[in-house]
Amino acid sequence: MTSSNDKTFQSEKGIHTDFLEKMTYGDYLGLDTLLNSQKRLSNHHDEMLFIIIHQVSELWLKLIIHETKAATQAIQSRDFQASFKMLARVSKIQSQIIQAWDVLSTLTPAEYMEFRDKLGNASGFQSYQYRLVEFVLGYKTPHILKIYEKNPELHQILKEAYHAPGLYDVSIQALAREGFQINKDILERDFSKTYQKDESVERAWQEVYKNVNDYWDLYQLAEKLVDIEDWFQQWRFRHMKTVERIIGHKKGTGGSSGVNYLKKVLDHYFFPELWEIRSTL
């Protein structure tokens, strides 16, 4: 007896079925490599969840880096419309990563303890892609680079990002190009230092928000930056609460203070002036 699915398939005369010498979907995506990259170190059922959640998050981080770097270059080239599309995409990606914590939070403390010791000192704290995201958003911490000295090629990539202007730096440069008086020390600052808020930058953004029609591109850029920071803070919060839910206040596998460390970074702002002006407008 022929099923309705078989009949539907047979009615599609153009569907390709001969792939002996053609590229398949799996070939294009490298699925053999991708789907064989989940190597459990224990026999516990839930370790698969733990691995996949982190691997999926790393793929999303890769796309965030790809889009944010391109948006940074677009802003430098004054192609604001292209940057807006890329930054809007980053915000949507962030929403996906946030929801991943809801899946991981189905892992109970008892279940995690069954394989946690197999992780050794491996920790999400060591995610180099997460550090690249922080660097491009302007949060630079020198001690972080030491973690990656084991891999010279990777260390060089991080070092270059560490010394490069971030997304907010090029946005401030865009303010200066539009004629706003920005502190010279900010425009010529050492980009390897974490950005600290500046009065001249705050005054410029205030003027943008007071005269939206005159500075429409800069206004849209500011709101895209706020979107990204908002989502990033939500990601940090969900990360912290998921860790607290699963391991409480134990130390992280990488040696950090765990929840206490995650709570501290919640207080950091990448784009401080854009939040300050909301109280002063």
Side-chain angles (χ1 to χ4, degrees):
M1 183 175 180
T2 304
S3 70
S4 59
N5 285 340
D6 288 336
K7 290 179 179 178
T8 300
F9 183 81
Q10 290 169 5
S11 70
E12 294 292 328
K13 304 297 185 182
I15 292 179
H16 296 284
T17 57
D18 182 2
F19 286 96
L20 292 176
E21 297 181 0
K22 296 176 184 176
M23 179 177 69
T24 65
Y25 171 80
D27 295 334
Y28 176 68
L29 295 177
L31 289 183
D32 283 348
T33 300
L34 184 64
L35 299 179
N36 282 291
S37 296
Q38 295 73 47
K39 310 294 186 184
R40 287 185 294 169
L41 299 180
S42 73
N43 291 320
H44 196 272
H45 172 83
D46 294 301
E47 189 181 356
M48 183 65 78
L49 161 69
F50 190 81
I51 293 171
I52 288 178
I53 284 292
H54 287 85
Q55 287 183 338
V56 169
S57 294
E58 288 293 333
L59 287 172
W60 281 129
L61 287 174
K62 183 173 184 176
L63 188 53
I64 286 176
I65 294 164
H66 177 72
E67 298 293 344
T68 308
K69 286 174 69 175
T72 299
Q73 293 169 358
I75 294 167
Q76 288 176 310
S77 302
R78 307 188 185 196
D79 189 355
F80 287 106
Q81 293 306 313
S83 74
F84 298 156
K85 175 66 181 293
M86 296 164 190
L87 295 177
R89 182 175 291 163
V90 168
S91 293
K92 291 297 184 181
I93 296 166
Q94 289 175 295
S95 72
Q96 295 296 310
I97 296 181
I98 290 169
Q99 289 178 21
W101 293 122
D102 294 336
V103 182
L104 186 59
S105 66
T106 64
L107 181 69
T108 69
E111 291 162 347
Y112 184 45
M113 287 303 105
E114 291 291 329
F115 61 87
R116 187 181 191 233
D117 63 325
K118 299 292 185 182
L119 304 181
N121 294 128
S123 165
F125 185 83
Q126 297 144 18
S127 167
Y128 75 87
Q129 290 200 125
Y130 178 77
R131 297 307 169 189
L132 283 172
V133 171
E134 284 192 329
F135 288 177
V136 80
L137 294 181
Y139 186 57
K140 311 286 182 74
T141 45
H143 63 278
I144 289 298
L145 291 175
K146 186 172 179 59
I147 295 173
Y148 310 98
E149 289 178 349
K150 176 180 178 181
N151 185 327
E153 184 178 351
L154 179 56
H155 187 263
Q156 183 60 32
I157 291 172
L158 284 154
K159 191 175 179 181
E160 288 175 6
Y162 183 76
H163 289 282
L167 180 61
Y168 198 44
D169 293 309
V170 300
S171 299
I172 293 171
Q173 291 166 5
L175 288 171
R177 286 200 304 266
E178 286 296 317
F180 290 103
Q181 297 300 309
I182 304 297
N183 185 345
K184 185 179 178 182
D185 291 339
I186 293 295
L187 295 174
E188 298 177 358
R189 76 185 193 87
D190 179 355
F191 297 122
S192 69
K193 306 294 185 184
T194 296
Y195 178 79
Q196 302 295 326
K197 67 180 180 180
D198 177 82
E199 288 185 6
S200 69
V201 174
E202 184 172 344
R203 285 195 298 269
W205 285 125
Q206 280 185 329
E207 193 67 21
V208 168
Y209 274 77
K210 288 177 180 177
N211 300 278
V212 171
N213 292 332
D214 293 335
Y215 302 109
W216 182 246
D217 283 344
L218 290 172
Y219 172 70
Q220 288 188 89
L221 174 59
E223 285 299 292
K224 290 290 186 289
L225 295 177
V226 170
D227 286 342
I228 287 173
E229 176 133 46
D230 189 349
W231 283 110
F232 201 94
Q233 289 293 75
Q234 291 185 53
W235 182 90
R236 279 174 162 171
F237 179 78
R238 289 296 295 124
H239 183 190
M240 182 269 293
K241 293 306 292 184
T242 302
V243 170
E244 184 176 21
R245 175 174 177 153
I246 296 174
I247 69 167
H249 288 264
K250 295 186 184 74
K251 275 194 172 186
T253 50
S256 74
S257 58
V259 169
N260 290 332
Y261 171 79
L262 296 173
K263 282 182 177 179
K264 289 175 186 175
V265 296
L266 280 173
D267 293 329
H268 176 262
Y269 284 91
F270 296 111
F271 320 128
E273 294 87 357
L274 291 174
W275 296 93
E276 290 287 339
I277 62 171
R278 281 157 163 73
S279 299
T280 58
L281 279 172

